[in-house]
Amino acid sequence: MTTIAVPPTRFVSPAKALRHGFSLAWRGLVKIRKNPEQLVDVTIQPIILLVVFVYLFGGAIAGGTGEYLQTLTPGLLVQNTLMASLSAGVALNTDVNKGVFDRFRAMPIARSAPLVGAVLADVVRYLVAIGVLLGMAMIMGFRVHTDPLSVLVAIATLVLAGLCFCWIAVFIGMLVPTPAAVQNIMMAIVFPLTFGSNVFVPSATMPSFLRAWSDISPVSRLADAMRGLLTGGPVAGPLLGGLAWLAAVVLVFFPLAMRAYRRRVS
Amino acid sequence: MSLAIEAEGLVKRFGETAALNGVDLAAPAGKVVGVLGPNGAGKTTTVRILATLLRPDAGRAMVGGYDVTGDPHRVRSLIGLTGQYASVDEDLSGTENLMLLGRLLDLSRAGAKARAVRLLEQFELTEAAGRAVKTYSGGMRRRLDLAASLVSRPQVLFLDEPTTGLDPHARNEVWQMVRRLVADGVTVLLTTQYLDEADNLADSIVVIDHGRVVAEGRADELKRRIGGQTIQVRPNSAADMDAVARIVADLTGMIPARDDDVGLITAPVSDPVLLSAVVRRMDTAGIVVDELALRLPSLDDVFLALTGKPVAEVAE
Ligand SMILES: Nc1ncnc2c1ncn2[C@@H]1O[C@H](COP(=O)(O)OP(=O)(O)OP(=O)(O)O)[C@@H](O)[C@H]1O
Ligand SMILES: [Mg+2]
């Protein structure tokens, strides 16, 4: 029997902690590969939204499907990333419920590893969600009128938005009892947030209270930034507004999420 | 002898419920301690505190020489844990589960793979190794869970009801595994509802009830503590039941318990010498006996006496 010859250390080194995070992210990806239906809500669902809105409402809302596709796609990318950003919370909650979390907690790994793993795996989901939706939109006739660099900035901004918003889901995920509850609560947040924005219809058509909100809402700001980056138009203003929102979300929810998480892992 | 597990005065409350009310426990290195107790006694709570998953409200516990609350990371590097409920990832295969744990324990990819293959073989899961765990039977899951707690080659192993839900063959395998580990110097703390399991495996037994230790010692010590021995006589012919009952009553001065279904007469005896007297009397009376024995009370009797609940009720 080879027992540990060197005495165990008190803490995990940051390099090891990162490796543990990557190992757990690998696990998340294997799970996605095995159950690709996990991705339905961020691939098939937005495609259905895209098709329905463009062909059904496009004429009524924007006076033509082609024009509507150009304004809807950038906004839908934002909504879709927000939807994707709730999976880390769901995944962590599932692990807590299934006892998998306890196994990790009883191991000499970094406390942060399951969290880092879940968030890293999320990034892949964001990229898949963005890629599938953008691809479908292109097939339907969406055209990028800017340069590749702008597209890269757009994708980076979306990933950043996901990484900022995911702390809401992580926070909720550490508080509520079941994965389904996380999902439902997050839906109740994401849906009003995205429908109460200029993603689907221009703010100008809304009643004044809604327009007031829609004009400053994070989703509208980010949607406008995406429009600027992908189809041309002003970028700096909406992007700054969006980034300010993201900073605010992180400032509020990251500490809350970490506190709730620490309470669960310590 | 050094202690691998040492707990003093553990207290844990969940709201109104006092799960633990001052539990003391000690396990010498390289021994097996069995924790017995009815449902809700506090077995799982005790294990979770020792495995650093729960903080006690009061009391102190050392595992492998490190404080579970003060130095949990070091404790975690020494222990393995198989909880009461499965804690493997249902979506991953057996191999993937064990490889993930190996990687988290800083084994190389090849090292983690080799370890996974070896453990799957040991737990007879090789055939199911590539299948998602959600397709496993309850017993297979349990075995994978046990394998998972051994990836790290722990010095101290916690097993919370390790054989619940296993068939007799699988249970035997687990017992063998525990014996092998102990031969290698591993300290094992296991909780169980099965008295024969504690009897078979544990060097010492701790009986807890309502969050308190109600008895502890070696199995035979516990049995002796419960008091005297029991004489059992099974006459060859049912017609002799009355005569045997009379003889036993005569000699022991107690009214014997008789079970006419199995044809067994039992009575407590204070003096073992009585056995030969019983033999002589039956010989004289010309009664042929199938079975005549003097036995210590079983652990079941001990359990009943200590917790006031019959085992059947305890095991539900
Ligand atoms: N998380 C919790 N919240 C509230 N009460 C709890 C919690 N965990 C345990 N308890 C209570 O603490 C007591 C001890 O529970 P524990 O799980 O340690 O018992 P046990 O001996 O393992 O029982 P079993 O044989 O059923 O597994 C029980 O009354 C239980 O209801
Ligand atoms: Mg239990």
Side-chain angles (χ1 to χ4, degrees):
Chain A
M1 169 89 190
T2 49
T3 42
I4 301 168
V6 277
T9 54
R10 232 189 133 106
F11 300 106
V12 191
S13 72
K16 257 194 195 177
L18 195 65
R19 244 212 350 263
H20 295 157
F22 273 109
S23 293
L24 287 166
W26 167 81
R27 159 178 175 254
L29 297 186
V30 170
K31 284 164 78 98
I32 294 176
R33 207 190 63 223
K34 297 209 163 183
N35 300 311
E37 70 273 10
Q38 268 188 40
L39 288 175
V40 163
D41 55 346
V42 293
T43 52
I44 311 295
Q45 206 163 287
I47 287 179
I48 293 173
L49 273 182
L50 186 69
V51 170
V52 168
F53 270 82
V54 167
Y55 293 124
L56 213 57
F57 307 131
I61 296 173
T65 53
E67 295 84 340
Y68 189 50
L69 186 63
Q70 290 296 106
T71 48
L72 178 63
T73 303
L76 217 44
L77 283 170
V78 175
Q79 137 146 29
N80 202 25
T81 309
L82 295 198
M83 292 287 289
S85 80
L86 58 83
S87 67
V90 174
L92 287 169
N93 186 286
T94 308
D95 282 354
V96 168
N97 274 307
K98 295 250 157 137
V100 179
F101 215 61
D102 279 346
R103 166 147 326 273
F104 297 146
R105 284 178 59 213
M107 289 174 74
I109 62 172
R111 309 279 76 199
S112 62
L115 187 58
V116 173
V119 173
L120 283 179
D122 252 20
V123 172
V124 176
R125 290 170 60 93
Y126 304 157
L127 291 173
V128 171
I130 295 167
V132 169
L133 184 59
L134 206 52
M136 183 65 193
M138 300 277 228
I139 291 171
M140 286 168 62
F142 177 74
R143 288 295 165 259
V144 174
H145 295 309
T146 55
D147 50 305
L149 184 65
S150 300
V151 176
L152 277 183
V153 173
I155 292 174
T157 306
L158 287 171
V159 170
L160 182 70
L163 285 175
C164 293
F165 269 95
C166 78
W167 301 109
I168 304 180
V170 169
F171 174 55
I172 305 284
M174 291 292 103
L175 291 186
V176 305
T178 64
V182 185
Q183 188 102 22
N184 292 340
I185 292 177
M186 288 311 296
M187 290 297 193
I189 296 174
V190 172
F191 268 110
L193 210 53
T194 49
F195 279 94
S197 76
N198 66 16
V199 167
F200 296 97
V201 295
S203 308
T205 62
M206 300 175 182
S208 59
F209 73 94
L210 193 55
R211 185 194 320 170
W213 162 248
S214 170
D215 282 343
I216 57 159
S217 109
V219 179
S220 298
R221 306 282 61 202
L222 287 168
D224 280 341
M226 288 304 119
R227 291 183 185 116
L229 284 165
L230 295 175
T231 63
V235 171
L239 191 58
L240 278 179
L243 292 178
W245 268 110
L246 295 182
V249 167
V250 168
L251 230 52
V252 173
F253 285 96
F254 182 73
L256 284 175
M258 286 312 283
R259 213 178 57 158
Y261 177 80
R262 237 181 251 125
R263 207 172 288 156
R264 277 281 171 105
V265 294
S266 66
Chain B
M1 198 178 326
S2 71
L3 291 178
I5 304 171
E6 206 180 346
E8 265 174 35
L10 294 181
V11 173
K12 182 73 192 176
R13 270 180 225 91
F14 295 105
E16 294 286 283
T17 327
L20 298 185
N21 252 321
V23 165
D24 300 333
L25 206 145
K31 300 281 179 193
V32 181
V33 173
V35 176
L36 269 176
N39 286 142
K43 303 183 296 294
T44 297
T45 307
T46 306
V47 167
R48 288 176 64 83
I49 288 175
L50 294 175
T52 76
L53 294 179
L54 269 183
R55 288 179 79 90
D57 296 329
R60 178 182 91 86
M62 308 281 283
V63 172
Y66 300 114
D67 191 300
V68 295
T69 51
D71 215 347
H73 190 73
R74 285 200 173 114
V75 171
R76 290 175 191 132
S77 347
L78 302 178
I79 62 169
L81 165 69
T82 296
Q84 185 168 0
Y85 305 103
S87 58
V88 279
D89 191 319
E90 309 241 302
D91 294 326
L92 301 188
S93 69
T95 308
E96 285 163 345
N97 263 293
L98 297 187
M99 273 192 72
L100 170 67
L101 299 178
R103 295 292 285 160
L104 288 172
L105 290 159
D106 302 320
L107 296 181
S108 68
R109 195 174 293 276
K113 174 86 191 188
R115 185 103 187 99
V117 168
R118 175 91 191 72
L119 282 167
L120 288 163
E121 204 176 272
Q122 203 175 324
F123 285 90
E124 301 181 10
L125 289 167
T126 305
E127 269 174 38
R131 255 164 48 199
V133 171
K134 61 180 158 219
T135 68
Y136 284 22
S137 74
M140 292 164 76
R141 234 171 261 221
R142 197 77 198 127
R143 276 166 12 223
L144 183 64
D145 225 14
L146 287 163
S149 63
L150 295 180
V151 176
S152 65
R153 301 179 192 276
Q155 290 175 24
V156 178
L157 183 62
F158 297 102
L159 304 174
D160 197 356
E161 301 198 18
T163 62
T164 302
L166 292 188
D167 64 29
H169 167 74
R171 173 179 301 187
N172 230 312
E173 287 296 310
V174 171
W175 289 7
Q176 295 291 347
M177 173 208 88
V178 169
R179 292 193 185 106
R180 269 198 307 271
L181 289 168
V182 170
D184 282 344
V186 175
T187 310
V188 178
L189 183 146
L190 62 89
T191 77
T192 180
Q193 305 262 3
Y194 303 114
L195 303 161
D196 60 327
E197 186 158 287
D199 214 354
N200 261 295
L201 281 181
D203 296 297
S204 66
I205 295 175
V206 176
V207 184
I208 57 177
D209 193 22
H210 293 113
R212 278 181 200 288
V213 175
V214 292
E216 61 180 309
R218 293 199 317 269
D220 55 341
E221 286 170 355
L222 288 181
K223 291 173 189 169
R224 206 161 294 137
R225 263 194 49 186
I226 272 312
Q229 301 168 328
T230 310
I231 188 169
Q232 286 185 329
V233 191
R234 191 197 307 273
N236 178 268
S237 153
D240 289 333
M241 284 292 278
D242 287 335
V244 171
R246 229 172 301 121
I247 293 169
V248 172
D250 243 21
L251 291 172
T252 61
M254 309 279 248
I255 299 170
R258 63 188 281 173
D259 185 336
D260 283 295
D261 292 337
V262 292
L264 194 67
I265 306 269
T266 49
V269 288
S270 40
D271 183 359
V273 178
L274 261 172
L275 193 62
S276 44
V278 172
V279 173
R280 271 198 304 278
R281 287 279 299 270
M282 296 220 258
D283 207 26
T284 320
I287 298 169
V288 184
V289 187
D290 278 352
E291 184 187 331
L292 177 66
L294 204 56
R295 65 166 182 89
L296 283 169
S298 71
L299 261 182
D300 297 64
D301 301 331
V302 175
F303 201 60
L304 175 61
L306 291 173
T307 67
K309 294 181 190 116
V311 176
E313 185 185 315
V314 167
E316 294 208 327

